[in-house]
Amino acid sequence: MRRVRVIPVLLLHNRQLVKTTQFKNPKYIGDGINALKIFNEKGADEVVVLDIDAFNRKEPDFEFIGKLVSECFMPLAYGGGIHTMDQAQRLFALGIEKVVIGACAISQPSLITNLANQYGSQSVVVSIDIKKDWLKRNRAFTENGKKNTGLDPLTYAKQLKELGAGELIVQSIDREGTGKGYDVTILQEISSAISIPVVALGGANSTNDFLKAIVEGGASAVAAGSMFVFKGPHKAVLISYPSPKELKEKLYSHL
Amino acid sequence: MVTIIDYGVGNLGSIQNMLQRIGVASLVTADPKQVEQAERIILPGIGAFDSAMTKLEQTELPSILRERSAAGIPLLGICLGAQLLTHGSEEGSRPGLGFIDAHCIKFNAQKIGSLKVPQMGWNEVIFQSTNTITDFMDMEIPPRFYFAHSYHMVADQEYVLGLTQYGYNFPTILKKGNILAMQFHPEKSHQYGMQILRNFSVWKP
Amino acid sequence: MSTKIITCTHCILDTTDDPSIVFDNDGICNYCLDYRQQELHNVPSADLATIKLADTIAAIKKAGEGKRYDSILGLSGGVDSSYLALQAKHWGLRPLIVHFDNGWNSELAVSNIEKTIATLGFDLHTLVIQWEEFRDLQVAFLKASVVDIEMVTDHAITATLYRLALKENIKFILSGTNVVTEAILPPHWIHHKSDYIHIRAIQKKFVGKPFKTYPLWNLRTRVMANLKGIRSVSLLNLIPYNKDEAKREMVAELGWRDYGGKHYESIFTRFYQGYILPTKFKIDKRRAHLATLICSKQLTRQEALAELSKPIYEPELLRMDYDFVLKKLGLTKVEFEKIMSDPVKAHSDYPIETNIYSRYPFLKLARPFWLALKSQLTKRNGHNH
């Protein structure tokens, strides 16, 4: 039975866990260490932690990341403010499984290649954050969705693959936190054009969305934020993760 | 006491973290003298074959590891560490340690069809025989572990303890006497990882 | 000084639990006798209870007419609050479920809450306390060396419930507190949960920063709640409440999973009751709980003693929790062990809330006017109690 990874994505802002909607209006979620402990006990396949204001800082918050990693007995990918090999080395030494590169993929593409050469491509993930520009064209954005790179996502994805990235997180900024489902079209476009795994992110609301992203969108794994931290009409903060039974019945058995 | 080899490559913190969680004492060291006294060894590793082999050969460790393994000390290679125990890999040009008669090849693109390389994610390991290492008590089997690799080991049937399917079947646990090579990351594999490490910590080969 | 330990012949409390414990001619302790009194006053006989329950439910429904919710229920994921939620559904009530997240939720608690609200179809609201602020307050209480560290959480829960009730104009708070499993508690083991003056004082002394997000159940909130006629009702006292049966029912109807210890839905509570209390304060809280169950005839004395013979903390779990708690609180082992070995202090060694009339004597004069005003307002609100 084929399994695909189902990945919670947590956003850090000043050591606090937050959740945004379309990259705006962060809502406080709580303590990261406890959140990771709970995801770990729920048997989450993997977790991605992104520090959304790290690009303002010189360095990743190693001390805090160390505490987070110590609660994880599954892979933890970290992204936010990584722009040197040394920083990546430190993160790997702490126990981070993969580093997620964002803005640096544009400003310092050689970092991706160097990381892949030194640590293997499976340890380098690049996130492509996509938003429609005023002409309704899909464009890749960086710096928390504020800077338009001018690149169309497909071209960008191909470049990243050539540089040595092992995996791409394809995130729809427009759908983030909305629960409206993934942008299956863009997922399909990218995954069919490159041979490295694509992780879907942005807009997931149910296991149905996961299924669509994989079957129609060609994604190799699915990720979500709001779906795993909010519950109900009042967006109550409650950490959840599908049970093995649910994943089997609603996802794996349909693949 | 499990000695985790520090040669500048690998996810030492996570392995030690998991060993600590399951109550197994461990020591992370690069000191050849300490490795000489080791009673049980884990060789970790992530990244590229040649780069890791170079770093390892810059130390005195290869000969000490050879001596330890000849002395019958249980030795476990994890992920790239497992691959280093073989004769070599298509990924690079340097020879491996050659403790197990195996070598590493890239995933066969034709055979895996639409599946992507690297294999990143959870997959099942089917045991080919039973012993202390394969004892998963009342946990749901086959056990599954986290994989992140573009190259995999190949070896003769007699050394294959665990097989996994990713497009096609390939070995994911090799065993030769007191030497074990695990392609996956037990330290990232939750309860299953904890159980297999627990088993390793009491294994009498 | 006699060092002989005298044990109650009825429950299992003894002179080590409370040096001032007294026994009657039959060797029965004052706690058992006090339990009788509490039961008499708060747990009506079956017939009376049925009537009172029906009346209260009717009042809740009436007050909630035309509103989205007729009540508020604080759900921790533990036995009492979860069982109350189940009953609330059976009674046809429409509570807003509120969970106070202090950063210590166990996975089991979160899972039980999820199953409970999904199965019962209730809406959930969470108050997630700002973790750093809460952590600093917990560490402050630890450094203060006072026994009731949990009041930091208990106080915040109460404040949250009342504030939300005020905001949403909900008159009834459904409380899971009950006599039959909780009545017995030696007074020096806890402090008044409502004491906001004490909490503020300890914050000031050990943290030095004013609260930004910590919800204080202060005078203003209490006065407003009083004026608006918001009240807390302990409905578990009005039904035959047996812990084991309640658990069975919840397992069957909600898929609820057992924690293995009272209040173990919170990792900190588990550590506090299993390690801090026995080690630093020489208190085993299980004893009070078991004594209550003996008095409410849910457990025999033999069974209670058998329970007590089990280790208070499974060693593996203690080891993991010890590391986790210190990591979360940001304390080194040295710092924590120093706190553990510091001499115990009484809550009254720090500022505490005294009777309001002794603080502001002129209020005694104002009292008749206050009561008259309240009477007018409650009549206007259509509140008949």
Side-chain angles (χ1 to χ4, degrees):
Chain A
M1 184 183 59
R2 186 179 161 209
R3 311 180 74 92
V4 285
R5 286 167 293 151
V6 174
I7 307 172
V9 175
L10 301 176
L11 305 178
L12 275 183
H13 169 62
N14 288 333
R15 290 195 171 190
Q16 299 179 352
L17 278 188
V18 297
K19 188 68 198 67
T20 48
T21 303
Q22 295 178 328
F23 278 38
K24 294 178 281 214
N25 303 324
K27 181 173 167 169
Y28 182 64
I29 300 295
D31 170 46
I33 296 173
N34 206 47
L36 275 172
K37 185 178 168 72
I38 294 175
F39 275 121
N40 184 59
E41 278 169 47
K42 285 190 180 292
D45 289 333
E46 184 175 319
V47 176
V48 173
V49 171
L50 301 172
D51 191 331
I52 62 176
D53 49 20
F55 64 84
N56 282 331
R57 259 191 264 113
K58 261 194 273 182
E59 297 235 287
D61 188 346
F62 293 111
E63 197 213 332
F64 189 62
I65 295 168
K67 285 191 172 182
L68 294 178
V69 174
S70 66
E71 281 313 311
C72 292
F73 295 101
M74 69 283 192
L76 184 62
Y78 170 81
I82 303 166
H83 42 260
T84 70
M85 291 293 283
D86 264 340
Q87 287 166 346
Q89 159 63 23
R90 267 183 89 175
L91 289 168
F92 292 133
L94 281 173
I96 293 291
E97 177 73 16
K98 302 180 250 199
V99 291
V100 184
I101 308 291
C104 259
I106 302 287
S107 57
Q108 248 185 280
S110 58
L111 179 65
I112 297 174
T113 314
N114 293 338
L115 284 170
N117 286 340
Q118 175 94 326
Y119 302 106
S121 61
Q122 78 288 336
S123 56
V124 188
V125 183
V126 183
S127 72
I128 304 181
D129 302 333
I130 302 169
K131 199 160 62 169
K132 292 207 193 298
D133 67 8
W134 64 282
L135 288 170
K136 300 271 192 259
R137 298 174 302 186
N138 278 324
R139 285 291 177 263
F141 278 70
T142 55
E143 283 176 32
N144 252 349
K146 295 197 182 75
K147 189 166 169 198
N148 187 345
T149 62
L151 291 168
D152 93 86
L154 182 56
T155 311
Y156 187 39
K158 286 179 181 166
Q159 274 176 19
L160 294 170
K161 197 266 163 185
E162 288 317 305
L163 284 169
E167 184 168 75
L168 297 180
I169 299 178
V170 173
Q171 177 167 207
S172 161
I173 299 176
D174 294 318
R175 287 169 181 261
E176 193 235 1
T178 61
K180 293 203 177 121
Y182 293 114
D183 184 343
V184 176
T185 315
I186 194 77
L187 285 171
Q188 210 282 326
E189 216 183 288
I190 295 177
S191 67
S192 56
I194 55 170
S195 60
I196 57 174
V198 163
V199 181
L201 179 60
N205 192 25
S206 68
T207 39
N208 250 347
D209 288 327
F210 295 162
L211 195 55
K212 271 177 125 170
I214 296 162
V215 170
E216 294 171 30
S220 301
V222 288
S226 302
M227 188 180 148
F228 296 133
V229 302
F230 290 138
K231 250 311 156 248
H234 302 292
K235 275 187 141 178
V237 175
L238 192 74
I239 290 176
S240 66
Y241 189 82
S243 66
K245 184 165 179 263
E246 205 184 330
L247 285 173
K248 206 172 179 175
E249 284 170 15
K250 297 198 180 153
L251 189 59
Y252 304 149
S253 57
H254 298 280
L255 297 176
Chain B
M1 169 74 86
V2 174
T3 304
I4 305 171
I5 308 291
D6 178 2
Y7 60 106
V9 174
N11 218 330
L12 312 163
S14 298
I15 299 173
Q16 193 164 42
N17 200 30
M18 185 173 268
L19 288 172
Q20 194 194 350
R21 183 56 66 100
I22 60 175
V24 173
S26 67
L27 167 71
V28 171
T29 183
D31 182 355
K33 291 210 170 22
Q34 284 183 317
V35 180
E36 275 167 12
Q37 308 297 319
E39 302 160 346
R40 207 169 283 272
I41 295 174
I42 290 182
L43 182 70
I46 53 163
F49 193 92
D50 278 2
S51 149
M53 235 9 252
T54 309
K55 285 212 167 81
L56 191 61
E57 281 172 344
Q58 279 163 359
T59 72
E60 298 166 37
L61 294 170
S63 56
I64 299 173
L65 288 172
R66 191 159 282 118
E67 179 277 318
R68 288 281 78 199
S69 90
I73 297 299
L75 170 59
L76 167 63
I78 290 176
C79 195
L80 185 65
Q83 295 183 351
L84 294 183
L85 295 176
T86 68
H87 287 297
S89 170
E90 266 178 13
E91 188 186 3
S93 53
R94 300 187 76 104
L97 292 168
F99 292 359
I100 300 187
D101 294 318
H103 63 282
C104 307
I105 60 171
K106 190 160 189 174
F107 272 110
N108 185 318
Q110 264 110 357
K111 284 198 199 168
I112 62 170
S114 60
L115 292 175
K116 311 277 187 177
V117 175
Q119 177 187 200
M120 302 257 260
W122 294 75
N123 207 337
E124 293 169 350
V125 173
I126 316 285
F127 295 125
Q128 304 302 296
S129 56
T130 52
N131 51 44
T132 312
I133 301 293
T134 65
D135 181 6
F136 276 76
M137 297 157 61
D138 52 4
M139 291 174 76
E140 197 185 310
I141 49 162
R144 46 193 183 84
F145 300 93
Y146 188 84
F147 289 85
H149 62 130
S150 308
Y151 296 81
H152 67 80
M153 304 180 285
V154 282
D156 284 341
Q157 194 56 32
E158 64 176 296
Y159 301 123
V160 177
L161 179 55
L163 270 183
T164 295
Q165 187 186 58
Y166 189 69
Y168 56 95
N169 284 331
F170 61 96
T172 44
I173 306 181
L174 295 181
K175 174 175 163 300
K176 183 182 178 191
N178 53 311
I179 302 170
L180 278 171
M182 291 181 191
Q183 181 60 68
F184 45 83
H185 287 277
E187 77 281 10
K188 297 291 179 187
S189 301
H190 278 310
Q191 312 294 353
Y192 292 107
M194 288 187 201
Q195 187 59 36
I196 212 166
L197 284 182
R198 213 176 263 127
N199 292 347
F200 173 70
S201 70
V202 298
W203 181 43
K204 291 183 176 50
Chain C
M1 191 179 70
S2 169
T3 50
K4 185 175 164 223
I5 298 172
I6 311 170
T7 310
C8 173
T9 52
H10 181 242
C11 73
I12 37 86
L13 293 178
D14 61 34
T15 41
T16 64
D17 298 305
D18 181 1
S20 64
I21 196 172
V22 288
F23 305 95
D24 70 5
N25 291 332
D26 297 317
I28 298 180
C29 74
N30 55 296
Y31 288 101
C32 290
L33 300 173
D34 180 62
Y35 177 86
R36 288 280 150 260
Q37 291 303 309
Q38 287 206 50
E39 203 180 42
L40 255 164
H41 283 121
N42 297 311
V43 186
S45 63
D47 295 335
L48 217 56
T50 313
I51 297 171
K52 196 155 185 214
L53 180 66
D55 283 349
T56 313
I57 291 172
I60 295 171
K61 287 180 174 173
K62 182 152 201 294
E65 266 167 21
K67 295 185 195 162
R68 194 168 174 186
Y69 308 106
D70 55 21
S71 50
I72 281 189
L73 194 157
L75 185 67
S76 64
V79 182
D80 302 333
S81 57
S82 303
Y83 190 66
L84 183 59
L86 180 57
Q87 298 315 306
K89 184 73 181 178
H90 290 161
W91 295 328
L93 295 176
R94 299 172 292 115
L96 169 63
I97 305 294
V98 177
H99 176 67
F100 177 75
D101 183 345
N102 66 358
W104 290 102
N105 277 336
S106 64
E107 184 275 327
L108 197 37
V110 163
S111 175
N112 278 340
I113 292 169
E114 193 190 347
K115 285 184 199 155
T116 303
I117 57 167
T119 311
L120 301 178
F122 289 148
D123 288 345
L124 177 69
H125 173 93
T126 50
L127 177 78
V128 187
I129 190 77
Q130 223 274 9
W131 165 247
E132 275 106 6
E133 187 170 62
F134 189 77
R135 175 204 60 203
D136 288 346
L137 184 57
Q138 282 193 305
V139 173
F141 264 70
L142 276 166
K143 289 181 176 166
S145 273
V146 291
V147 69
D148 197 349
I149 303 168
E150 285 281 67
M151 71 176 283
V152 167
T153 297
D154 298 333
H155 182 96
I157 291 175
T158 309
T160 302
L161 292 175
Y162 275 90
R163 283 181 178 193
L164 203 52
L166 277 167
K167 183 163 173 250
E168 302 288 324
N169 194 21
I170 297 172
K171 302 293 182 198
F172 285 93
I173 296 176
L174 307 180
S175 165
T177 55
N178 61 88
V179 167
V180 295
T181 70
E182 300 181 322
I184 293 181
L185 202 54
H188 66 283
W189 288 11
I190 53 163
H191 185 65
H192 315 296
K193 306 293 183 177
S194 55
D195 193 347
Y196 70 99
I197 288 178
H198 186 61
I199 292 176
R200 239 188 357 216
I202 292 190
Q203 166 81 356
K204 188 169 176 200
K205 185 173 166 76
F206 292 96
V207 183
K209 286 187 281 198
F211 287 124
K212 276 202 199 140
T213 63
Y214 182 79
L216 274 174
W217 193 27
N218 53 21
L219 207 53
R220 187 185 168 281
T221 313
R222 285 190 245 178
V223 165
M224 289 301 296
N226 214 329
L227 275 177
K228 294 268 185 149
I230 295 175
R231 33 183 296 226
S232 175
V233 287
S234 300
L235 296 176
L236 292 180
N237 284 336
L238 301 179
I239 56 172
Y241 182 44
N242 177 292
K243 203 97 181 194
D244 286 337
E245 275 168 32
K247 285 185 188 178
R248 272 195 290 272
E249 214 178 306
M250 289 196 293
V251 167
E253 289 198 48
L254 302 172
W256 192 87
R257 280 150 66 204
D258 199 354
Y259 299 94
K262 189 163 164 57
H263 293 316
Y264 282 17
E265 57 270 21
S266 155
I267 299 170
F268 183 79
T269 304
R270 180 166 80 204
F271 187 70
Y272 166 72
Q273 291 191 4
Y275 184 73
I276 298 178
L277 274 185
T279 314
K280 175 167 178 153
F281 299 93
K282 315 287 182 247
I283 291 171
D284 182 349
K285 218 165 180 191
R286 293 176 306 173
R287 296 170 64 79
H289 177 53
L290 292 169
T292 312
L293 292 178
I294 294 172
C295 287
S296 62
K297 300 190 174 41
Q298 295 190 32
L299 214 63
T300 65
R301 202 163 181 274
Q302 270 317 102
E303 286 166 333
L305 288 168
E307 243 336 278
L308 283 174
S309 67
K310 294 184 197 161
I312 192 167
Y313 223 138
E314 202 261 314
E316 262 310 292
L317 188 57
L318 171 57
R319 194 176 57 83
M320 277 168 41
D321 284 353
Y322 186 99
D323 287 341
F324 184 70
V325 169
L326 265 60
K327 176 172 25 177
K328 279 225 355 146
L329 294 179
L331 295 170
T332 63
K333 191 163 183 223
V334 168
E335 284 168 335
F336 182 69
E337 288 305 323
K338 173 174 188 307
I339 288 171
M340 289 298 284
S341 59
D342 276 344
V344 171
K345 286 215 159 103
H347 283 276
S348 52
D349 287 345
Y350 304 94
I352 59 171
E353 184 179 19
T354 46
N355 182 283
I356 196 168
Y357 297 113
S358 62
R359 272 186 290 142
Y360 307 109
F362 72 89
L363 284 178
K364 276 197 209 151
L365 294 170
R367 193 169 153 78
F369 300 102
W370 168 253
L371 287 171
L373 171 67
K374 207 178 146 206
S375 165
Q376 282 302 309
L377 283 169
T378 49
K379 274 207 198 108
R380 223 191 294 157
N381 287 340
H383 193 69
N384 293 321
H385 294 268

